[in-house]
Amino acid sequence: MSSAPDRPLAGVRIVEISSFVAVPLAGMTLAGLGADVVRIDPVGGAADYHRWPLTADGVSIYWAGLNKGKRSMTVDLREDAGQRLVQQLIAAAGVFITNAAGRPWLSHPELAAQRPDLIHLEVTGRADGTTAVDYTVNAATGFPLVTGPAGADGPVNHVLPAWDVSCGLYAVIAVLAALRRRDTTGQGSAIRLPLDDVALATAANLGFLTEALVTGVRRPRLGNAIYGQYGQDFTSSDGVEFMVVALTPRHFRDLTEVTGTTAAVDAAAEAIGADFTDEGQRYRHRDLLTGLFAPWFAGHTAEQISAALARSSVLWSRYESFTDVAESPRVQGNPLFTLIDQPGVGSYPAPGLPMTVDGTHLASAPAPDLGQDNAAVPAEWLDR
Amino acid sequence: MSSAPDRPLAGVRIVEISSFVAVPLAGMTLAGLGADVVRIDPVGGAADYHRWPLTADGVSIYWAGLNKGKRSMTVDLREDAGQRLVQQLIAAAGVFITNAAGRPWLSHPELAAQRPDLIHLEVTGRADGTTAVDYTVNAATGFPLVTGPAGADGPVNHVLPAWDVSCGLYAVIAVLAALRRRDTTGQGSAIRLPLDDVALATAANLGFLTEALVTGVRRPRLGNAIYGQYGQDFTSSDGVEFMVVALTPRHFRDLTEVTGTTAAVDAAAEAIGADFTDEGQRYRHRDLLTGLFAPWFAGHTAEQISAALARSSVLWSRYESFTDVAESPRVQGNPLFTLIDQPGVGSYPAPGLPMTVDGTHLASAPAPDLGQDNAAVPAEWLDR
């Protein structure tokens, strides 16, 4: 679709040359905010055009999911004529986002010569110029060595590509800030955003790297416990798993009351000289506390546990599978999701942006067919 | 610090009343972009003021990490006079970000009566109004049931609070979009951003929920493999773990050449009728391929493996601990990090924003002392 006039980025035009997650997510988010985002791919599609998950017919659910609300052009990027067309479109748009590095005809000096106030964002692998993807960046963050059961051996990777997602959102932030700068000063921006630096900045902001540097503490593998807080998973009599968190003294007191362990917890505190109003002491003595709470969970059904926790201030959730979630009212009855009809995939509830503004969600539009706007975009943007 | 004049949000004033991760990260990011962000806490600090990790003296490394570059006020929020002061500061700032829900004197109608064009962002737990935190949201996403070794039982939580981080970045996006809208139309925005909806939108955008809905496929637990691609961890002869990824036919061909398995892989492909130029077939036959590659890793040292992979297009990384990362050139020699002197914590390299603009990082300033700006901010903003 082209710009929706009532959205904050109405009138902003963006060219995207991308693959995989970070830049496609950035472009989709900018499209959701109202920008006219044109994804340009080589003929036949980029390296992510057939990425899993696939439908039974081989259509990429992944690609449809990360390109909602964009327009699509295919161009022969190996030919001079194609390269010139893309340069003209970038100059006309004034904003270019990409993770396609190392092509001289897409270099910043080349593009800025044609559009001096260009906003040009490149997502790269590592700051030193080497390539990297979420899964290799994550290996070198420290997280896989503290994920998984206490005492386990070997790394445990995340399944959510959290660095790609964060990188895509930082890319949106960078473009929005650059638009503000250009509106104010007339200046363009050459922005580089290394995926690895997103991970490093995040790990440092959250204290993981700083703790290692400042205190020398080597944080252990904790299973499903939360570092420095009381949080633990429990299993019901009918085999349902729950995550339970008590961040404040009130949460914790409610947890002892729900589980009928208030007297036992107080007696244990006195016996070992602990003060469970302190979050650090709840963390240090977590195994003792879990030992006191677990029998109540093991002695009640999931339904009983859910009802009792719901009446308290305790933070809790059942563990759910993707299928459970997809079929739950959190998706099926949530105005965040609207039915879209995606050619090749079918009709399904797709999310808009996760925030409401004045009570309203910005809904998504389907992803384009590859190349569907080959004629329309040059006609509109280049007047041809 | 107050606004840096050369940053894109110079002149923007923001009040933050927050705790934990998402909103503090949002405020810190907006401060990094040049906004004057004043965090207002109850006397003695909010519920996150002593959060782990701590220094040996009990100072929160966590708090210092997520409040860099802000100013700080403490106000008795239980008293009428304190509440009125906060309302006046919010009206003067024109932007208010918070995760403190349920206080009538901070409700949108109350605040908008005093500042009609207010940008007011509230992060909440779930869209239905119930409370939730990263760890309970994550339990109900589906991810913990597919994380960890194939065949393992029970959920495996993430350690990175990925939903908090994503939520904080979406909050920044929402504020930047609302500033643009206000600049254009004069209108304020009442924004609600449920943490759970951030997780649901992300899981759907990436295809996890959509696959379950559209195909009914129940994705298995894969250990450290990557769904639909070839990616796997390997161990060297000296016990060092590597993550190795081949997204494209070129990556894959290079991996067979590095490991000296090209002929064996071709023979295996012919024997089973597979085409390893197809990413899905590399994924389906991953155990066979891993069996062919693993002996080369087991027969070489980490140094030999690193040297060989570095000469190829293969995507790879050693697994590293937080300590390894913190002491590596990726932190110690990276201009993303600058030394800051944080009272109570010491001097350490702290990250700025992960992007460079025209080759330059926006560096961070230290976190404030609690209440250090109690006099300065009202004097500047309220002319008193």
Side-chain angles (χ1 to χ4, degrees):
Chain A
M1 69 180 176
S2 50
S3 289
D6 55 330
R7 301 196 183 199
L9 295 192
V12 173
R13 289 172 169 174
I14 300 176
V15 169
E16 171 187 325
I17 297 182
S18 73
S19 53
F20 303 113
V21 176
V23 175
L25 175 64
M28 184 169 73
T29 305
L30 291 160
L33 291 169
D36 182 9
V37 177
V38 176
R39 178 173 166 140
I40 300 180
D41 283 300
V43 178
D48 60 353
Y49 188 55
H50 298 290
R51 200 173 190 205
W52 285 37
L54 305 174
T55 66
D57 297 333
V59 175
S60 174
I61 291 169
Y62 155 87
W63 199 90
L66 283 173
N67 292 296
K68 295 191 290 284
K70 300 177 191 174
R71 297 204 281 179
S72 168
M73 289 181 65
T74 51
V75 176
D76 188 339
L77 302 175
R78 297 162 308 182
E79 295 290 333
D80 276 354
Q83 297 177 3
R84 274 201 309 278
L85 174 62
V86 172
Q87 289 178 333
Q88 289 167 336
L89 290 167
I90 291 170
V95 183
F96 175 44
I97 63 175
T98 189
N99 63 324
R103 296 179 185 171
W105 62 278
L106 286 177
S107 70
H108 186 69
E110 180 90 9
L111 297 174
Q114 296 174 50
R115 174 83 191 227
D117 67 349
L118 180 67
I119 294 170
H120 181 185
L121 180 136
E122 288 184 286
V123 167
T124 64
R126 299 190 192 273
D128 67 4
T130 55
T131 56
V133 292
D134 182 279
Y135 308 97
T136 57
V137 161
N138 190 49
T141 56
F143 287 101
L145 299 182
V146 296
T147 303
D153 218 32
V156 174
N157 289 356
H158 62 195
V159 174
L160 174 74
W163 308 121
D164 273 343
V165 171
S166 302
C167 185
L169 299 176
Y170 271 115
V172 175
I173 291 168
V175 168
L176 290 170
L179 285 168
R180 186 177 176 88
R181 181 192 189 204
R182 187 166 72 183
D183 289 344
T184 311
T185 69
Q187 288 183 286
S189 294
I191 304 161
R192 290 181 77 91
L193 178 60
L195 183 64
D196 191 43
D197 280 4
V198 168
L200 294 169
T202 303
N205 287 335
L206 295 172
F208 293 93
L209 299 184
T210 315
E211 178 181 37
L213 279 172
V214 169
T215 70
V217 166
R218 203 163 175 139
R219 198 183 289 217
R221 207 185 284 251
L222 295 172
N224 289 332
I226 305 174
Y227 187 60
Q229 300 277 358
Y230 185 76
Q232 196 61 57
D233 57 320
F234 293 94
T235 306
S236 70
S237 63
D238 45 350
V240 175
E241 284 142 338
F242 286 82
M243 181 67 195
V244 174
V245 181
L247 295 182
T248 66
R250 178 172 168 236
H251 297 158
F252 185 71
R253 179 57 40 165
D254 274 14
L255 179 55
T256 68
E257 284 173 12
V258 163
T259 55
T261 58
T262 304
V265 167
D266 287 348
E270 196 169 331
I272 61 173
D275 171 9
F276 290 140
T277 63
D278 177 82
E279 64 198 86
Q281 299 206 33
R282 297 194 292 271
Y283 167 69
R284 283 204 187 88
H285 298 290
R286 65 192 178 279
D287 290 342
L288 165 66
L289 294 170
T290 299
L292 289 170
F293 301 146
W296 180 80
F297 286 90
H300 290 81
T301 64
E303 204 174 320
Q304 292 169 328
I305 291 167
S306 300
L309 291 174
R311 286 191 300 267
S312 78
S313 70
V314 175
L315 301 158
W316 66 282
S317 176
R318 290 169 72 136
Y319 283 91
E320 298 183 26
S321 70
F322 292 125
T323 306
D324 294 338
V325 179
E327 292 171 354
S328 77
R330 285 162 58 225
V331 169
Q332 300 292 335
N334 185 341
L336 167 64
F337 290 85
T338 49
L339 274 183
I340 64 172
D341 190 16
Q342 180 67 51
V345 177
S347 174
Y348 68 89
L353 292 174
M355 71 289 279
T356 55
V357 179
D358 302 338
T360 304
H361 277 288
L362 299 177
S364 286
D369 284 333
L370 200 63
Q372 72 174 38
D373 304 294
N374 281 355
V377 172
E380 284 173 39
W381 289 12
L382 305 177
D383 236 354
R384 58 159 81 152
Chain B
M1 67 177 177
S2 49
S3 289
D6 55 330
R7 300 196 183 199
L9 295 193
V12 173
R13 291 172 169 174
I14 300 176
V15 170
E16 172 188 324
I17 297 183
S18 73
S19 52
F20 302 113
V21 176
V23 175
L25 175 64
M28 184 167 74
T29 306
L30 291 160
L33 292 170
D36 182 8
V37 177
V38 175
R39 178 174 166 140
I40 301 180
D41 282 302
V43 178
D48 61 352
Y49 188 55
H50 299 289
R51 198 172 192 205
W52 285 38
L54 306 174
T55 66
D57 298 332
V59 175
S60 174
I61 290 169
Y62 155 85
W63 200 90
L66 283 173
N67 291 296
K68 295 190 290 283
K70 300 177 191 174
R71 297 203 284 178
S72 168
M73 290 180 65
T74 51
V75 175
D76 188 338
L77 302 175
R78 296 162 309 184
E79 295 288 333
D80 276 355
Q83 296 177 6
R84 274 201 308 278
L85 174 62
V86 172
Q87 289 178 333
Q88 288 168 336
L89 291 167
I90 291 170
V95 183
F96 175 44
I97 62 175
T98 190
N99 63 324
R103 296 178 184 172
W105 63 279
L106 286 177
S107 70
H108 187 69
E110 180 91 7
L111 297 174
Q114 296 174 49
R115 174 85 190 224
D117 67 349
L118 181 67
I119 294 169
H120 182 186
L121 180 138
E122 288 185 285
V123 168
T124 65
R126 297 190 193 275
D128 67 4
T130 54
T131 55
V133 292
D134 182 279
Y135 308 98
T136 57
V137 162
N138 189 50
T141 56
F143 288 101
L145 300 182
V146 296
T147 303
D153 217 32
V156 174
N157 289 355
H158 62 193
V159 174
L160 173 74
W163 307 121
D164 273 344
V165 171
S166 303
C167 185
L169 299 176
Y170 271 116
V172 175
I173 291 167
V175 168
L176 290 170
L179 285 168
R180 186 177 175 90
R181 181 192 188 204
R182 187 166 72 183
D183 289 345
T184 311
T185 69
Q187 289 183 289
S189 294
I191 304 160
R192 290 181 77 92
L193 179 59
L195 184 63
D196 191 43
D197 280 3
V198 168
L200 294 170
T202 303
N205 287 335
L206 295 172
F208 293 94
L209 300 184
T210 314
E211 178 181 37
L213 279 173
V214 169
T215 70
V217 166
R218 202 165 176 138
R219 198 184 287 220
R221 207 185 283 251
L222 294 172
N224 289 332
I226 305 174
Y227 187 61
Q229 300 277 357
Y230 185 76
Q232 196 62 57
D233 56 323
F234 293 94
T235 306
S236 71
S237 63
D238 45 351
V240 175
E241 285 142 338
F242 287 81
M243 181 67 196
V244 173
V245 182
L247 295 182
T248 65
R250 177 169 167 239
H251 298 157
F252 185 72
R253 179 57 41 165
D254 274 15
L255 179 56
T256 68
E257 283 172 13
V258 163
T259 56
T261 58
T262 304
V265 167
D266 288 349
E270 195 170 332
I272 61 174
D275 171 9
F276 291 140
T277 63
D278 177 82
E279 63 197 87
Q281 299 206 34
R282 297 194 292 271
Y283 166 70
R284 284 204 186 88
H285 298 290
R286 64 191 178 281
D287 290 343
L288 164 67
L289 294 169
T290 299
L292 289 170
F293 302 145
W296 181 81
F297 286 90
H300 291 80
T301 65
E303 205 173 319
Q304 291 169 330
I305 291 167
S306 300
L309 291 174
R311 286 191 300 267
S312 79
S313 71
V314 176
L315 301 158
W316 66 283
S317 176
R318 290 169 71 137
Y319 284 90
E320 298 184 26
S321 71
F322 292 124
T323 306
D324 295 337
V325 180
E327 291 170 355
S328 77
R330 285 163 58 227
V331 169
Q332 300 291 336
N334 185 340
L336 168 65
F337 290 84
T338 50
L339 274 183
I340 63 171
D341 190 15
Q342 181 66 52
V345 177
S347 174
Y348 69 90
L353 293 175
M355 72 288 281
T356 55
V357 179
D358 301 338
T360 304
H361 278 287
L362 299 178
S364 286
D369 285 335
L370 201 63
Q372 73 174 36
D373 304 295
N374 281 355
V377 173
E380 283 173 40
W381 288 12
L382 306 178
D383 237 354
R384 56 160 81 153

